[in-house]
mmCIF file of all heavy atoms in Angstrom:
data_model
loop_
_atom_site.group_PDB
_atom_site.id
_atom_site.type_symbol
_atom_site.label_atom_id
_atom_site.label_comp_id
_atom_site.label_asym_id
_atom_site.label_seq_id
_atom_site.Cartn_x
_atom_site.Cartn_y
_atom_site.Cartn_z
ATOM 1 N N GLU E 498 32.294 -7.188 -10.181
ATOM 2 C CA GLU E 498 33.048 -7.628 -9.006
ATOM 3 C C GLU E 498 34.425 -8.171 -9.392
ATOM 4 O O GLU E 498 34.561 -8.860 -10.406
ATOM 5 C CB GLU E 498 32.279 -8.734 -8.271
ATOM 6 C CG GLU E 498 31.150 -8.243 -7.410
ATOM 7 C CD GLU E 498 30.443 -9.393 -6.711
ATOM 8 O OE1 GLU E 498 30.703 -10.568 -7.054
ATOM 9 O OE2 GLU E 498 29.618 -9.102 -5.841
ATOM 10 N N TYR E 499 35.386 -7.846 -8.567
ATOM 11 C CA TYR E 499 36.738 -8.383 -8.734
ATOM 12 C C TYR E 499 37.222 -8.946 -7.409
ATOM 13 O O TYR E 499 36.918 -8.403 -6.331
ATOM 14 C CB TYR E 499 37.712 -7.293 -9.199
ATOM 15 C CG TYR E 499 37.561 -6.896 -10.646
ATOM 16 C CD1 TYR E 499 36.600 -5.972 -11.038
ATOM 17 C CD2 TYR E 499 38.382 -7.450 -11.624
ATOM 18 C CE1 TYR E 499 36.458 -5.592 -12.358
ATOM 19 C CE2 TYR E 499 38.253 -7.079 -12.961
ATOM 20 C CZ TYR E 499 37.289 -6.157 -13.319
ATOM 21 O OH TYR E 499 37.153 -5.788 -14.644
ATOM 22 N N MET E 500 37.998 -10.036 -7.488
ATOM 23 C CA MET E 500 38.705 -10.587 -6.326
ATOM 24 C C MET E 500 40.125 -10.018 -6.359
ATOM 25 O O MET E 500 40.810 -10.091 -7.380
ATOM 26 C CB MET E 500 38.744 -12.109 -6.382
ATOM 27 C CG MET E 500 37.374 -12.758 -6.369
ATOM 28 S SD MET E 500 36.392 -12.368 -4.885
ATOM 29 C CE MET E 500 37.423 -13.079 -3.597
ATOM 30 N N VAL E 501 40.519 -9.414 -5.231
ATOM 31 C CA VAL E 501 41.823 -8.733 -5.168
ATOM 32 C C VAL E 501 42.620 -9.298 -4.002
ATOM 33 O O VAL E 501 42.098 -9.419 -2.881
ATOM 34 C CB VAL E 501 41.638 -7.206 -4.991
ATOM 35 C CG1 VAL E 501 42.993 -6.520 -4.900
ATOM 36 C CG2 VAL E 501 40.813 -6.628 -6.134
ATOM 37 N N ARG E 502 43.860 -9.651 -4.275
ATOM 38 C CA ARG E 502 44.772 -10.063 -3.195
ATOM 39 C C ARG E 502 45.764 -8.933 -2.956
ATOM 40 O O ARG E 502 46.496 -8.527 -3.870
ATOM 41 C CB ARG E 502 45.496 -11.346 -3.563
ATOM 42 C CG ARG E 502 46.606 -11.736 -2.591
ATOM 43 C CD ARG E 502 46.895 -13.206 -2.621
ATOM 44 N NE ARG E 502 45.820 -13.974 -2.004
ATOM 45 C CZ ARG E 502 45.916 -15.290 -1.714
ATOM 46 N NH1 ARG E 502 47.012 -15.952 -2.014
ATOM 47 N NH2 ARG E 502 44.900 -15.896 -1.157
ATOM 48 N N ASN E 503 45.750 -8.427 -1.723
ATOM 49 C CA ASN E 503 46.562 -7.268 -1.339
ATOM 50 C C ASN E 503 47.431 -7.653 -0.149
ATOM 51 O O ASN E 503 46.938 -7.893 0.951
ATOM 52 C CB ASN E 503 45.643 -6.100 -0.987
ATOM 53 C CG ASN E 503 46.408 -4.845 -0.618
ATOM 54 O OD1 ASN E 503 47.630 -4.830 -0.628
ATOM 55 N ND2 ASN E 503 45.672 -3.798 -0.275
ATOM 56 N N SER E 504 48.741 -7.737 -0.365
ATOM 57 C CA SER E 504 49.657 -8.167 0.704
ATOM 58 C C SER E 504 49.705 -7.174 1.852
ATOM 59 O O SER E 504 50.052 -7.529 2.981
ATOM 60 C CB SER E 504 51.068 -8.380 0.127
ATOM 61 O OG SER E 504 51.565 -7.169 -0.437
ATOM 62 N N ALA E 505 49.330 -5.925 1.586
ATOM 63 C CA ALA E 505 49.360 -4.910 2.643
ATOM 64 C C ALA E 505 48.195 -5.065 3.609
ATOM 65 O O ALA E 505 48.241 -4.544 4.731
ATOM 66 C CB ALA E 505 49.339 -3.514 2.024
ATOM 67 N N GLY E 506 47.141 -5.747 3.187
ATOM 68 C CA GLY E 506 45.998 -5.971 4.078
ATOM 69 C C GLY E 506 45.029 -4.807 4.153
ATOM 70 O O GLY E 506 44.031 -4.880 4.882
ATOM 71 N N SER E 507 45.309 -3.724 3.436
ATOM 72 C CA SER E 507 44.408 -2.572 3.439
ATOM 73 C C SER E 507 44.672 -1.739 2.181
ATOM 74 O O SER E 507 45.656 -1.958 1.474
ATOM 75 C CB SER E 507 44.593 -1.724 4.694
ATOM 76 O OG SER E 507 45.904 -1.195 4.748
ATOM 77 N N PHE E 508 43.770 -0.748 1.956
ATOM 78 C CA PHE E 508 43.889 0.090 0.776
ATOM 79 C C PHE E 508 44.024 1.554 1.182
ATOM 80 O O PHE E 508 43.346 2.011 2.112
ATOM 81 C CB PHE E 508 42.671 -0.072 -0.146
ATOM 82 C CG PHE E 508 42.587 -1.414 -0.799
ATOM 83 C CD1 PHE E 508 41.968 -2.484 -0.155
ATOM 84 C CD2 PHE E 508 43.149 -1.627 -2.047
ATOM 85 C CE1 PHE E 508 41.890 -3.726 -0.752
ATOM 86 C CE2 PHE E 508 43.078 -2.872 -2.665
ATOM 87 C CZ PHE E 508 42.445 -3.923 -2.012
ATOM 88 N N ASN E 509 44.881 2.247 0.473
ATOM 89 C CA ASN E 509 45.025 3.679 0.680
ATOM 90 C C ASN E 509 43.720 4.383 0.308
ATOM 91 O O ASN E 509 43.124 4.106 -0.731
ATOM 92 C CB ASN E 509 46.183 4.199 -0.189
ATOM 93 C CG ASN E 509 46.411 5.680 -0.013
ATOM 94 O OD1 ASN E 509 45.696 6.487 -0.591
ATOM 95 N ND2 ASN E 509 47.414 6.025 0.791
#
Side-chain angles (χ1 to χ4, degrees):
E498 281 180 349
Y499 286 83
M500 299 300 298
V501 179
R502 172 156 288 191
N503 182 0
S504 60
S507 62
F508 292 86
N509 181 280

